[in-house]
Amino acid sequence: MSDVQEAVDQLLDVNLQEDQRSMQGSESDPRSESEGLRVTIGATVPTGFEQTAADEVREKLGSSCKISKDRGKIYFSISVESLAQVHCLRSVDNLFVVVQEFNDYQFKETKEEVLKDFEELAGKLSWSEPLNVWKINTSFKKKKTKRKKISQNSSKEKADNGQGDRLDEKDVKKESTENVLDSHILDYYENPAIKEEISTLVGDDLASCKDENDESWKGEVNPGVVKFRVTCNRAGEKHCFTSNEAARDFGGSVQDHFKWKADMTNFDVEVLLNIHDSEVIVGIALTEESLHRRNITHFGPTTLRSTLAYGMLRLCAPQPTDIIVDPMCGTGAIPIEGATEWSNCFHLAGDNNPLAVNRAANNISSLLTKNQMKESKLSYGLPIDAIQWDICNLPLRTGSVDVIVTDMPFGKRMGSKKKNWNLYPACLREMSRVCRPGTGRAVLLTQDKKCFAKALSGMGHVWRKVHTVWVNIGGLHAAVYLLRRTPQAFVQSSEQDGERTPW
Ligand SMILES: C[S@@+](CC[C@H](N)C(=O)[O-])C[C@H]1O[C@@H](n2cnc3c(N)ncnc32)[C@H](O)[C@@H]1O
């Protein structure tokens, strides 16, 4: 038997004959083999929103979740038939199927002994069902999108203070034709939330790192050679080994067990080794890229993940016919997520920066086009509109808004801490004017907690803080505040009367 054949044979470890045939193109259906099979799915979620994700899973899949002590992860059991629905969840970033879970893994005393155990681990695990799930999953999995480099316009905007002080009309026009995505900008929101080491490694001697532009990679499983990589996430004080060493030695054991070929970039199977204190979970990745990459085609300097936007919207429990406003919308991540998930509400997106409004408008338009193509029928539009405005002077009637959901300038990448001292109280005041007394809610994200707390302390008559969710955004410790509008009617002070533009 050739090495290639052997590798193929061992891939699924399920039904030798049938799997060989299907790997080589003939149609054996792993679904029929897996009917009624229940598996445990793990999902990474925005930290702080684990409970929101668990609620969504219970609602949509009827499964209860285990929220991991490893913050930012949830686990739930499903029948394989529900796998497609799992990919439709709005609150989860990455998905994996659990191969085995060790709740209290006994690490040996010395590093050599621990690593020796990792070298032998793959052979002791039951891979067949998770690999079958992985195989079924390939038809649901979204392929990784190619990233483009950011245009010069956006870096120009970064030089601007983001508050719309200095803008060039030409930039707005040029931007409207471009579809920009900058991985560095996204990293701002994507860095791992927890203090944890992550290594994707299979050892220098095992891995062959190929050029990312290698055209031979088409994202399909090559029946000849199965390529894999191991990614280790490790968090915990008491480990005598690094994630790098664990990934290398466990990677070696996976390779020995399956005779797969290690490849860091162009892999078919990504094996995960998640270690948190004494909890060890081995899994197989079911997503190539995070599910938060949806909706947005025109990115800005602080584009919010759609999964986080979903969590924020859920916090204020939108009701049919609610008017939901994001008065500082940037690229529109929050209202666009809102319009897709809560289409029985109307969503308004506004920003004082014309570049941001332009991006939001382009994102709305891209989504309309996508919907049109998907449904192959004329689109009837989305319940959303975008407008340029100043949050301190909104063109909206007093008490006309049900919900405000926004991501405020942190004063780091966007705006400045100094400006926040004026901006935050003015925001809260104007939001209290437009928001309906008694039933109105606001969900506000900020990292400038000190400034927010001070601004809120002077507004106790109109806003009541109900709940705080602590989130980690690209390493920044931020807060999402759920506020309730008190029943007290808004009273315009005489000095503000003079400042307001009459609408
Ligand atoms: C943190 S960003 C929002 C990012 C947005 N969530 C996204 O996904 O792109 C804050 C936004 O507030 C806007 N902003 C700052 N001051 C404003 C004001 N006075 N009125 C309206 N928008 C303002 C900025 O232009 C910026 O787009």
Side-chain angles (χ1 to χ4, degrees):
M1 189 187 285
S2 72
D3 285 349
V4 169
Q5 190 65 63
E6 203 171 309
V8 171
D9 289 350
Q10 294 198 37
L11 173 68
L12 292 178
D13 199 13
V14 187
N15 177 327
L16 187 77
Q17 293 307 318
E18 289 204 5
D19 283 321
Q20 270 180 19
R21 265 187 271 124
S22 73
M23 287 295 283
Q24 290 166 0
S26 79
E27 292 314 304
S28 114
D29 186 1
R31 280 163 228 237
S32 56
E33 293 163 28
S34 310
E35 246 168 66
L37 173 70
R38 285 197 79 80
V39 285
T40 303
I41 300 292
T44 60
V45 304
T47 50
F49 281 99
E50 294 86 354
Q51 190 54 56
T52 307
D55 291 345
E56 189 194 11
V57 168
R58 197 187 45 245
E59 245 173 61
K60 297 185 177 166
L61 298 164
S63 304
S64 57
C65 283
K66 176 185 152 201
I67 296 178
S68 167
K69 49 185 164 173
D70 187 353
R71 257 168 67 86
K73 290 195 184 74
I74 59 165
Y75 296 90
F76 51 95
S77 149
I78 56 153
S79 71
V80 175
E81 289 76 26
S82 320
L83 201 52
Q85 282 165 269
V86 176
H87 283 264
C88 297
L89 292 171
R90 310 301 288 186
S91 56
V92 303
D93 285 317
N94 284 292
L95 299 167
F96 54 95
V97 55
V98 173
V99 176
Q100 192 143 343
E101 192 178 351
F102 302 89
N103 288 323
D104 189 19
Y105 187 95
Q106 297 298 310
F107 289 108
K108 302 257 170 66
E109 282 293 305
T110 66
K111 180 156 113 176
E112 288 66 32
E113 288 174 309
V114 173
L115 295 178
K116 179 106 188 34
D117 282 349
F118 281 136
E119 274 173 33
E120 291 165 4
L121 184 58
K124 297 179 179 163
L125 306 177
S126 308
W127 294 90
S128 61
E129 285 178 354
L131 277 169
N132 220 5
V133 171
W134 167 83
K135 195 173 175 192
I136 293 166
N137 184 70
T138 45
S139 57
F140 305 125
K141 191 173 63 176
K142 209 174 114 226
K143 294 276 170 254
K144 199 166 188 150
T145 43
K146 275 252 180 269
R147 315 239 167 111
K148 287 187 189 169
K149 275 279 157 213
I150 192 96
S151 74
Q152 283 172 345
N153 288 338
S154 297
S155 35
K156 203 168 172 184
E157 191 201 4
K158 267 188 260 171
D160 180 11
N161 65 6
Q163 309 286 329
D165 296 342
R166 178 169 54 77
L167 291 158
D168 183 346
E169 222 184 88
K170 268 188 293 173
D171 286 352
V172 179
K173 288 204 184 105
K174 198 163 171 219
E175 274 245 336
S176 68
T177 59
E178 277 174 342
N179 172 354
V180 287
L181 195 162
D182 183 329
S183 53
H184 297 296
I185 284 173
L186 285 177
D187 283 348
Y188 179 66
Y189 279 120
E190 285 184 354
N191 288 345
I194 323 134
K195 193 174 167 290
E196 109 185 309
E197 255 190 335
I198 302 183
S199 291
T200 299
L201 203 118
V202 274
D204 293 340
D205 49 336
L206 301 174
S208 63
C209 298
K210 287 201 181 142
D211 182 354
E212 287 209 41
N213 301 322
D214 182 355
E215 280 302 307
S216 65
W217 167 248
K218 301 284 185 229
E220 300 300 325
V221 178
N222 175 344
V225 195
V226 175
K227 289 178 278 180
F228 82 105
R229 80 174 188 189
V230 168
T231 299
C232 175
N233 296 267
R234 188 192 66 80
E237 301 296 317
K238 294 187 184 143
H239 301 139
C240 59
F241 57 92
T242 64
S243 58
N244 219 345
E245 291 163 334
R248 181 195 61 207
D249 290 5
F250 180 55
S253 83
V254 172
Q255 188 181 45
D256 288 348
H257 183 67
F258 290 108
K259 302 288 178 286
W260 289 344
K261 186 173 180 309
D263 193 322
M264 296 277 279
T265 47
N266 299 329
F267 50 88
D268 306 307
V269 185
E270 182 176 25
V271 180
L272 307 171
L273 179 61
N274 294 334
I275 305 172
H276 187 268
D277 293 330
S278 64
E279 182 188 84
V280 174
I281 294 178
V282 178
I284 300 173
L286 299 179
T287 39
E288 255 176 52
E289 69 173 9
S290 171
L291 298 176
H292 81 259
R293 289 182 190 280
R294 55 177 181 253
N295 304 342
I296 305 297
T297 50
H298 293 68
F299 286 80
T302 55
T303 300
L304 198 69
R305 290 178 187 208
S306 299
T307 41
L308 196 49
Y310 176 83
M312 288 173 67
L313 283 153
R314 254 192 96 109
L315 267 187
C316 57
Q319 300 300 309
T321 75
D322 271 355
I323 302 291
I324 306 181
V325 177
D326 180 352
M328 294 188 276
C329 70
T331 48
I334 298 170
I336 290 174
E337 182 66 18
T340 54
E341 275 305 285
W342 288 272
S343 55
N344 50 8
C345 300
F346 196 85
H347 304 262
L348 268 176
D351 202 290
N352 69 343
N353 184 335
L355 283 176
V357 180
N358 201 262
R359 289 196 193 105
N362 279 319
N363 284 323
I364 295 169
S365 156
S366 305
L367 196 63
L368 278 169
T369 312
K370 194 170 120 193
N371 286 355
Q372 244 170 346
M373 279 158 47
K374 205 164 59 187
E375 289 161 24
S376 54
K377 62 173 187 192
L378 277 181
S379 168
Y380 300 103
L382 284 166
I384 186 169
D385 211 344
I387 183 171
Q388 185 180 348
W389 65 27
D390 177 1
I391 185 161
C392 307
N393 204 0
L394 296 172
L396 298 170
R397 196 188 308 141
T398 299
S400 60
V401 170
D402 299 289
V403 174
I404 294 169
V405 186
T406 204
D407 163 19
M408 302 169 87
F410 288 7
K412 283 184 177 273
R413 193 180 278 262
M414 190 60 75
S416 73
K417 293 259 183 206
K418 201 166 154 220
K419 284 189 177 179
N420 284 351
W421 287 102
N422 289 327
L423 181 67
Y424 280 23
C427 280
L428 285 175
R429 193 180 312 114
E430 183 66 345
M431 289 188 213
S432 73
R433 183 185 70 77
V434 297
C435 207
R436 198 183 299 281
T439 56
R441 307 69 100 194
V443 171
L444 310 175
L445 165 66
T446 181
Q447 193 247 342
D448 199 349
K449 293 159 299 230
K450 199 168 147 200
C451 183
F452 186 87
K454 178 81 176 60
L456 190 65
S457 67
M459 302 272 163
H461 56 298
V462 278
W463 289 117
R464 185 170 61 84
K465 190 168 81 186
V466 179
H467 185 51
T468 307
V469 178
W470 300 105
V471 292
N472 193 309
I473 300 201
L476 298 175
H477 186 54
V480 175
Y481 299 101
L482 169 62
L483 310 181
R484 236 182 212 287
R485 181 67 174 82
T486 65
Q488 185 162 327
F490 178 82
V491 183
Q492 183 94 24
S493 74
S494 49
E495 108 199 27
Q496 286 158 10
D497 270 344
E499 287 168 18
R500 270 195 71 79
T501 312
W503 294 107

